[in-house]
Amino acid sequence: MPRDKSHRRSEAAKRRMAERRIRIGVPQRESRRGTGWRHRVNPWKVSPHTGRFHKLHVPPRCFDPGKKFVLLVGASHLRSIADEIVREQDGCLAFGAMSTPGACADQLRMEVVQASLPLQPKLVIVMAPSNNLTASRTIEEAGLAFWRYLATVCTIFPCKVCVADMVPRLTVPGDYQELMRQEFHRVAASLNVSYISTADHFPLDRLELWCPDGVHLSDDYGMPKLVELLWVASYQQLETPAPSPQVQHQVSPKPYVPRFAPKLVVKGEVRAPRPTPSEWTLVELGRKRNHSGNPEDSSGVSKKRVVHCGWCSCGS
């Protein structure tokens, strides 16, 4: 059946728009498909709490007393770790995984509340829920859901908790993903939880880091890099000693040294000090007094005579 004129115009407009996107560098959805490989999804049990596939995997090496058990909690990005398609490097750490594919922050919170671990971990790494990119209507709503989720994890697990950055996607605009990362980082800081930034290690132009769906990391390139980043971050969280608080040395007070008045030594002829007027000698009839006064004799008449000093010019 021949196409009408309006249909041909519509197709021409689509072609012009696609050419314009190529010229200005705007990625098209079809061109953002990953080129890496991902293993075939294995069937898991359905969780009665969320209705999603769920798996808690704690390998035997986590019980080794020479290793420290690190629990990873997240969505479908942990499938390769839970199925041991991709394993961590040998060392002092052992990874376990709690994976719930397709779960958002609220559903992951429900799984954490109902989880029963055979061994208490030394560290819990919470993968920032990238499914909230589509499950939440706004960034503020996603931040509130993540706050509830992270606060529950910190309450249930007495060990150290940190947050790993959201894995980038090829199917969501980069600026929106960056705003979501900033919100998750702000929530982690409000709960005093460390935040591990990993987005810079997954440049969007390296398509081999993703599998063809553009959402999940590839098992041959993307996931090994993510596991390596998580291993290094776990080692830094557990093995690096916390900086000791700086102790301010108190300056001891100087011992008290009493101060003595200098002693004046006079050599040579010493002159007697000049007496004050109150210390002049008064000669009266019949007695002397060494202080000023007006004593009266027996007749009631005051008679006195001042003795001339002899050594001053007062005229007395």
Side-chain angles (χ1 to χ4, degrees):
M1 181 177 179
R3 302 287 184 178
D4 56 1
K5 189 175 181 180
S6 60
H7 177 76
R8 292 193 299 270
R9 288 180 177 177
S10 177
E11 292 297 325
K14 291 181 180 179
R15 288 194 297 270
R16 288 194 300 270
M17 183 61 67
E19 293 175 357
R20 181 173 178 271
R21 288 180 177 177
I22 295 175
R23 287 196 303 270
I24 64 177
V26 177
Q28 301 182 62
R29 185 178 181 87
E30 291 78 12
S31 65
R32 305 307 293 174
R33 294 175 60 87
T35 59
W37 169 82
R38 189 172 187 243
H39 74 285
R40 184 177 180 180
V41 174
N42 298 323
W44 288 357
K45 293 182 179 180
V46 177
S47 171
H49 311 295
T50 59
R52 294 187 176 275
F53 293 108
H54 175 77
K55 183 176 183 180
L56 173 61
H57 178 63
V58 181
R61 60 181 177 274
C62 295
F63 296 87
D64 188 347
K67 294 181 179 294
K68 295 183 179 181
F69 174 35
V70 179
L71 178 64
L72 308 177
V73 183
S76 55
H77 287 288
L78 300 180
R79 265 189 180 272
S80 300
I81 300 177
D83 288 338
E84 295 194 348
I85 304 298
V86 179
R87 293 181 56 178
E88 74 275 7
Q89 60 183 353
D90 294 332
C92 59
L93 304 178
F95 282 170
M98 185 190 303
S99 175
T100 310
C104 61
D106 289 332
Q107 294 171 333
L108 291 171
R109 174 176 171 269
M110 295 176 61
E111 294 294 346
V112 168
V113 171
Q114 301 297 330
S116 178
L117 295 177
L119 179 66
Q120 285 296 329
K122 298 294 184 180
L123 174 67
V124 175
I125 298 182
V126 176
M127 305 293 295
S130 59
N131 289 320
N132 281 88
L133 288 169
T134 55
S136 300
R137 293 171 295 181
T138 61
I139 295 178
E140 292 77 11
E141 181 181 339
L144 182 58
F146 182 60
W147 187 91
R148 293 192 298 265
Y149 171 36
L150 186 58
T152 302
V153 173
C154 295
T155 303
I156 292 178
F157 294 100
C159 61
K160 196 171 185 179
V161 178
C162 63
V163 177
D165 201 358
M166 185 179 61
V167 177
R169 295 189 179 190
L170 300 179
T171 58
V172 179
D175 54 351
Y176 186 75
Q177 295 186 67
E178 183 60 28
L179 292 176
M180 190 71 74
R181 288 191 187 92
Q182 294 177 5
E183 181 67 14
F184 290 160
H185 196 170
R186 185 192 65 81
V187 171
S190 66
L191 295 174
N192 198 21
V193 175
S194 301
Y195 192 88
I196 306 169
S197 298
T198 59
D200 295 338
H201 297 273
F202 298 96
L204 299 179
D205 57 346
R206 293 190 55 188
L207 302 181
E208 70 275 8
L209 297 176
W210 286 266
C211 65
D213 63 3
V215 175
H216 301 92
L217 296 175
S218 60
D219 292 335
D220 48 356
Y221 294 102
M223 282 303 302
K225 180 178 288 294
L226 178 61
V227 171
E228 179 183 359
L229 294 173
L230 295 177
W231 200 97
V232 173
S234 302
Y235 183 84
Q236 292 176 349
Q237 294 288 328
L238 293 175
E239 298 297 331
T240 304
S244 58
Q246 297 181 357
V247 179
Q248 297 181 356
H249 299 282
Q250 296 182 356
V251 180
S252 58
K254 296 182 179 181
Y256 173 71
V257 178
R259 296 183 179 182
F260 297 96
K263 195 172 184 179
L264 180 63
V265 179
V266 180
K267 295 182 179 180
E269 182 180 359
V270 180
R271 294 184 178 182
R274 181 180 179 181
T276 59
S278 61
E279 296 178 352
W280 290 355
T281 302
L282 301 180
V283 180
E284 302 178 3
L285 295 177
R287 59 177 175 171
K288 294 182 180 179
R289 296 187 62 180
N290 292 331
H291 56 84
S292 59
N294 297 322
E296 297 179 354
D297 58 2
S298 59
S299 61
V301 179
S302 176
K303 298 180 180 180
K304 63 180 178 179
R305 179 168 61 91
V306 179
V307 179
H308 180 63
C309 301
W311 51 268
C312 66
S313 58
C314 61
S316 300

